[in-house]
Amino acid sequence: MREIDPDVQPTARRASSGPEYRIIIIVTVILTALGLFMVLSASAVGDSSTSYRHLIKQGLAAALGLGAMWLLSRLRIQQLRKLAWPLFGATLVLLLLVQTPLGQEVNGARRWISLGAISLQPSELAKLAALLWGAQIIDAKRSLLGRWSHLIVPYLLGIGTMVVLVLLEKDLGTTMMLMLIMLATLFYAGLPLRKLAVLLAGSGLIAVAAALLSPNRLMRLLSWANCAEGAELCRQGLQGQYALASGGWWGVGLGQSRQKWHWIPEGHTDFIFAILGEELGLLGSLAVLLLFGVLAVAIHKVSLRTTTTFSRCICSVTLIWLVFQAILNIAMVIGLTPVTGVPLTFISYGGSSLLVSLAAIGLVLSVARNTASHVVQNPARDRQRR
């Protein structure tokens, strides 16, 4: 039986956007606002002339991201489908440009394109492209996924190209997220488990090889496995744990963190959860986890109402991507995983990450607005029942 597409079923009665639509918006805005407060607090430790520099950049990214979220939420499903290939092509071009003189190297990693005062991280855009393009390709080939030839061309070939280009940037964290998006897309599309297991094993081997073949990553991995007080590579992780411990139940107060004063390097980026835990305490940290939980449940409920592989992948894979990224960041801060450079969704400083995350929420909101009700008129199903 053919799946119902809300944009090509003229007899389908559209469902109301439902309470999940509003919950997703409210939680996303709260997390984004909290992120702006925490970026200001964690970065305002230099001289007064630069205290607001990171906040201004993050605020601009938030404004652009919320605008993109609103714009995408107003599009119909067919319009989202038409964006898939242009976004994929543009992302590949930008990833290639990182390896040209336009690319900017920071702390040994070449991940940014510098255009004057504006810096763009194409590897973040690759997550959104992998989500949207992957959902479109897999939806078109859903009846042929059992054949390796149709799976490899063009899906695995396209995702593999992005993975290779991101690995050239020495960005293992984003590489892992791209492979997670790929696996989640194929899982929700119904790929046979044996093929999924092969791809899972292959992705694991790529991640392990990338970690072992890089001296810097290998040292970080060994330091995490056997961290000693005073070791330089352990400093950031240990100071992050000290910050969380010193926050207690209620925290030391917003803006009052002591660890941010150069004890935690770049505390407004990957380790911002440590500053948040110190200032807002255990209760504040749990509140952030609760917000991500509410967001996950709301997106999952939207996914349950979808009737096409494309819409289901958009919702479910966005949920896996954004929530797992947050979990991985928090696990890194509390010492459960090595330092991978994965940002805390909506909260860590990074304009590209914030803009792309908000755009992904816009895709989910579009699905929520356009998804047909379970009680649509479906002649084929009615004949089947009779």
Side-chain angles (χ1 to χ4, degrees), residues 18-35 66 69-70 73 287-288 290-296 298-299 346-347 358 361-362 364-365:
E20 296 84 13
Y21 183 88
R22 293 183 290 275
I23 290 172
I24 292 171
I25 293 176
I26 292 170
V27 173
T28 300
V29 171
I30 290 174
L31 287 170
T32 302
L34 176 62
L66 290 171
M69 184 180 81
W70 177 84
S73 73
V288 171
L290 178 62
L291 286 170
F292 279 111
V294 171
L295 181 65
I299 295 177
F346 302 121
I347 296 177
L358 290 171
I361 292 294
V364 174
L365 293 175

Side-chain angles (χ1 to χ4, degrees), residues 90-141:
T91 300
L92 287 183
V93 170
L94 291 172
L95 287 172
L96 288 170
L97 287 177
V98 172
Q99 305 304 322
T100 70
L102 288 176
Q104 183 181 15
E105 186 171 325
V106 178
N107 296 328
R110 195 180 188 88
R111 304 175 185 172
W112 292 267
I113 293 177
S114 181
L115 301 172
I118 300 175
S119 293
L120 174 67
Q121 192 171 351
S123 57
E124 289 294 334
L125 186 62
K127 298 175 186 177
L128 187 67
L131 166 69
L132 186 60
W133 180 78
Q136 169 65 3
I137 294 299
I138 294 303
D139 182 59
K141 285 181 168 278

Side-chain angles (χ1 to χ4, degrees), residues 7 17 21 25 66-80 83 359 361-370:
D7 276 350
S17 54
Y21 183 88
I25 293 176
L66 290 171
M69 184 180 81
W70 177 84
L71 181 61
L72 289 171
S73 73
R74 312 306 296 179
L75 298 181
R76 295 170 65 85
I77 299 298
Q78 284 298 330
Q79 291 173 313
L80 294 183
L83 289 176
I361 292 294
L363 298 178
V364 174
L365 293 175
S366 174
V367 172
R369 291 184 65 252
N370 290 286

Side-chain angles (χ1 to χ4, degrees), residues 14 188 199 249 317 385:
R14 295 193 181 277
Y188 285 107
L199 293 175
W249 280 94
V317 178
R385 286 178 176 173

Side-chain angles (χ1 to χ4, degrees), residues 58 176 255:
Q58 191 76 347
M176 292 170 58

